[in-house]
Amino acid sequence: VDKSRILDRAARKMLGQKSSERGAMIRLCSMTFILSSVFNNTPLVVLMMPIVRDWARQRGMAPSKFLIPLSYASIMGGMITTIGTSTNLVVNGLLEA
């Protein structure tokens, strides 16, 4: 995923060229929430952090305003499916045993 730059292109397109902080935040959190339901949280946040940081700096916005919501959206999205977080996998294994 990292070498193909698919996530990079999708995130930059989703964040947009000219947008308000609020609009970018909503789009970022929505995309992260959806992706986190099928990808593990930690790698997703690690891949998204430099993209979001660079995007915010290029527009004169504080990256910190976007990084914490990125993490929270990832956590919430990961709770949707069994594969989203490792905790869900452990609980599922205990319930099936």
Side-chain angles (χ1 to χ4, degrees):
V1 174
D2 186 38
K3 289 182 181 181
S4 68
R5 296 280 192 221
I6 292 172
L7 187 60
D8 185 30
R9 283 181 270 178
R12 291 186 190 281
K13 189 170 186 158
M14 187 69 120
L15 288 169
Q17 293 298 323
K18 297 179 181 177
S19 64
S20 66
E21 282 186 29
R22 174 176 262 180
M25 182 79 66
I26 290 170
R27 288 190 302 275
L28 172 69
C29 289
S30 299
M31 182 179 73
T32 305
F33 185 83
I34 292 167
L35 287 174
S36 183
S37 66
V38 292
F39 291 113
N40 200 331
N41 294 348
T42 306
L44 180 64
V45 172
V46 167
L47 288 172
M48 292 290 291
M49 279 177 49
I51 298 167
V52 172
R53 184 194 61 221
D54 295 344
W55 180 88
R57 285 183 181 165
Q58 288 173 354
R59 282 148 189 81
M61 299 178 191
S64 60
K65 288 184 179 180
F66 295 94
L67 294 176
I68 292 296
L70 170 72
S71 177
Y72 287 150
S74 174
I75 291 168
M76 289 190 306
M79 288 191 268
I80 293 175
T81 62
T82 305
I83 62 169
T85 63
S86 57
T87 307
N88 290 356
L89 288 171
V90 170
V91 171
N92 186 47
L94 290 173
L95 291 174
E96 287 181 1

